[in-house]
Amino acid sequence: KGALTTAGINKGLISPHINNEPVHTLQQLQDIVKKVSMSKEPVLFIQGLYPSGKKAYYAVVLSD
């Protein structure tokens, strides 16, 4: 399992923002993950909506 799946993020999350940055493409996601993984505090703060309208918030620690 990947870090996002392990954190409980289900398929279908829309309008995601990671660390307050909007994410529209896989490249944007990869760039943010790369930047955060090299920081002192490797945590992704993810917020978004599911198609049902439910808001979702997650914190994903990127560590070995």
Side-chain angles (χ1 to χ4, degrees):
K1 283 187 178 182
L4 301 181
T5 302
T6 301
I9 299 174
N10 298 312
K11 188 174 182 175
L13 186 68
I14 55 175
S15 301
H17 282 69
I18 300 177
N19 294 7
N20 293 318
E21 294 184 41
V23 177
H24 301 289
T25 67
L26 181 58
Q27 184 63 52
Q28 288 174 316
L29 172 62
Q30 291 171 335
D31 291 346
I32 293 169
V33 169
K34 182 177 179 181
K35 183 172 98 177
V36 169
S37 67
M38 295 186 299
S39 71
K40 246 197 282 189
E41 296 182 18
V43 179
L44 298 176
F45 295 102
I46 302 169
Q47 65 185 65
L49 294 170
Y50 284 103
S52 66
K54 179 182 175 188
K55 291 181 182 178
Y57 302 90
Y58 303 94
V60 179
V61 179
L62 301 177
S63 60
D64 295 337

